[in-house]
Amino acid sequence: MNRKWMLCLVAATSVLLTACGVESELSKTKTEDYVELGQYKGLEVSVERPAVNDEYTMNYINYVLTQNAELQEVTGRAAQNGDILNIDYAGEKDGVAFDGGTAAGKDLMLGSHTFISGFEEGLIGKNKGDKVDLNLTFPADYAKKELAGQDVVFHVTVNKIQESVVPELTDETVKKIQPDCDNVEDYKAFVKDLLTKDAEKYYNQALESKLIEAAKAGATFKNDPADALVEIYYQKALQNMSKFAAQYGLTTEQMVSQYYGVTMDEFEKKGREGAKESAQEALLMQAIANAEKIDVSKDEIDAMIKKEIDNGDFASEEELRRSLGDEDIRDYVMAEKVMNVLKDNAVITEESEGESNGTD
């Protein structure tokens, strides 16, 4: 996901769209037919600035250590919840092996609820080399109808017991996790700097969002955006959803259903509602650009491309142009310039985050 509200995003509860790809449509639109500007200078907004202190930094480091945990074989004790067992198993129904019920060398974390009820519980307290018969019943609503509600037996052999061991924070661990850091203190400073940059990014996103909301609240929208403009925004959301789904090997319909819990019809309805709202915001931004006589030069476009690449949002200019296109880039620069006008003339109050990151 890119760092600004202007780049096309799809959220779980609403579709937020940008001015991407609609410059020609906006340029021929008489914004005064749709929106009458209210106050957009001197907007008063209050924004929380995240605190990055030592406790917050250590919480993040502990999370990273957990992600770098290594498996070690367990000796001298029986299996317990959280252990990872390597097992062979063969499932039978009425003495006959059933399809999909047999595997060898399968890793299974006890407590993960990967298998049907009673399977993992039946392996707690077992030792390496143990063989156990698990008499179980498949759930009545099991996906495979031939097994739903049926009594079966699994013959299980415990090949190995392992546990996940979180490494200690040492200089050697640091060098493995972050080779650019030589010791623990270097790594703490590195992480704190990283978190501080992220906090600043989120602060700016929140600030921009509130400024847009405030400018929109002060404006008067005379008419609904043109259908053609709304359609462009909706299609952009659909394209981005499709790209997002493809990253996970899913179709658009699968992504919408599995991740957002709605049908395509429901997604389209919500998407068009979001498209209408975003079209209003685009018209508002364009109206401010017109009022401020804002234009975009080639040098500004080149500078924006360099900034996006330096920020790591895109690997190269070619990738950026493939993702956005020349019109999108110009729109993005235009929107940033309008945003700078709002920021430079706003009255901004910073709120303390309080105890959320462990501040004193």
Side-chain angles (χ1 to χ4, degrees):
M1 294 290 187
N2 289 324
R3 60 188 175 83
K4 299 289 186 178
W5 71 275
M6 286 81 73
L7 299 182
C8 304
L9 308 173
V10 179
T13 56
S14 65
V15 179
L16 303 177
L17 297 157
T18 74
C20 298
V22 295
E23 184 189 29
S24 60
E25 190 70 30
L26 280 175
S27 65
K28 66 184 181 183
T29 300
K30 294 182 178 180
T31 57
E32 61 270 21
D33 291 342
Y34 296 93
V35 59
E36 179 180 336
L37 291 176
Q39 179 183 355
Y40 64 86
K41 291 183 177 179
L43 297 173
E44 298 183 7
V45 295
S46 181
V47 186
E48 181 179 85
R49 182 179 287 279
V52 179
N53 54 28
D54 290 344
E55 183 178 349
Y56 188 46
T57 301
M58 281 307 305
N59 286 340
Y60 180 83
I61 290 174
N62 289 333
Y63 166 76
V64 173
L65 292 174
T66 300
Q67 296 300 108
N68 283 271
E70 296 181 352
L71 292 179
Q72 293 184 7
E73 189 165 358
V74 172
T75 58
R77 69 164 175 81
Q80 61 188 28
N81 251 339
D83 285 344
I84 297 171
L85 274 58
N86 183 273
I87 59 174
D88 301 334
Y89 63 87
E92 296 179 352
K93 176 180 175 295
D94 299 327
V96 179
F98 55 84
D99 188 36
T102 300
K106 172 75 173 180
D107 285 334
L108 171 65
M109 176 181 285
L110 299 186
S112 64
H113 306 294
T114 304
F115 282 57
I116 63 173
S117 178
F119 192 103
E120 295 169 36
E121 293 85 348
L123 298 178
I124 293 175
K126 304 307 177 184
N127 290 281
K128 178 180 177 180
D130 283 355
K131 298 180 184 293
V132 59
D133 293 338
L134 302 175
N135 294 290
L136 306 173
T137 303
F138 274 95
D141 59 352
Y142 193 65
K144 292 184 177 181
K145 294 182 178 180
E146 66 273 17
L147 293 175
Q150 298 299 303
D151 294 330
V152 296
V153 58
F154 283 96
H155 307 291
V156 184
T157 300
V158 179
N159 300 321
K160 183 167 55 177
I161 303 173
Q162 296 175 296
E163 62 182 347
S164 181
V165 178
V166 178
E168 295 182 6
L169 182 60
T170 65
D171 292 348
E172 290 304 312
T173 302
V174 163
K175 291 174 185 177
K176 292 178 182 178
I177 295 174
Q178 189 63 45
D180 293 338
C181 297
D182 293 328
N183 53 56
V184 171
E185 292 308 312
D186 283 351
Y187 184 57
K188 287 181 179 179
F190 170 84
V191 170
K192 191 166 188 177
D193 181 62
L194 180 69
L195 295 175
T196 299
K197 289 178 180 177
D198 280 346
E200 188 65 20
K201 177 180 70 175
Y202 296 133
Y203 168 81
N204 283 323
Q205 288 175 340
L207 172 60
E208 291 173 358
S209 179
K210 288 197 173 185
L211 287 172
I212 293 169
E213 289 174 5
K216 189 175 179 181
T220 301
F221 291 91
K222 304 175 181 178
N223 297 298
D224 288 340
D227 291 343
L229 192 59
V230 174
E231 182 65 20
I232 287 173
Y233 284 122
Y234 174 69
Q235 290 301 324
K236 197 69 176 181
L238 198 58
Q239 291 168 15
N240 278 273
M241 173 63 82
S242 298
K243 291 178 182 178
F244 187 46
Q247 294 176 3
Y248 291 89
L250 300 173
T251 65
T252 304
E253 290 78 4
Q254 289 171 330
M255 174 64 75
V256 166
S257 174
Q258 295 179 25
Y259 282 76
Y260 302 114
V262 297
T263 65
M264 280 303 296
D265 286 343
E266 291 169 328
F267 172 79
E268 179 174 357
K269 179 181 179 181
K270 192 174 291 292
R272 291 191 182 281
E273 290 171 357
K276 178 180 176 181
E277 181 178 347
S278 295
Q280 286 182 328
E281 291 181 1
L283 290 167
L284 174 69
M285 298 293 274
Q286 183 64 54
I288 295 174
N290 294 344
E292 295 292 319
K293 296 180 171 55
I294 291 175
D295 200 0
V296 177
S297 69
K298 182 181 182 303
D299 288 344
E300 288 172 326
I301 291 175
D302 292 341
M304 180 281 225
I305 291 172
K306 183 179 184 303
K307 181 173 69 172
E308 290 300 309
I309 294 172
D310 290 345
N311 285 338
D313 293 325
F314 297 92
S316 65
E317 179 176 341
E318 290 73 23
E319 180 188 338
L320 186 149
R321 290 188 183 279
R322 282 198 306 271
S323 299
L324 299 181
D326 290 341
E327 290 186 354
D328 294 357
I329 295 170
R330 288 195 298 271
D331 288 338
Y332 181 68
V333 175
M334 177 74 77
E336 277 211 327
K337 293 181 74 172
V338 171
M339 183 58 67
N340 287 336
V341 170
L342 300 182
K343 287 181 181 178
D344 291 344
N345 292 278
V347 180
I348 303 168
T349 301
E350 291 187 5
E351 299 175 351
S352 172
E353 194 178 26
E355 299 296 326
S356 59
N357 279 338
T359 53
D360 295 330

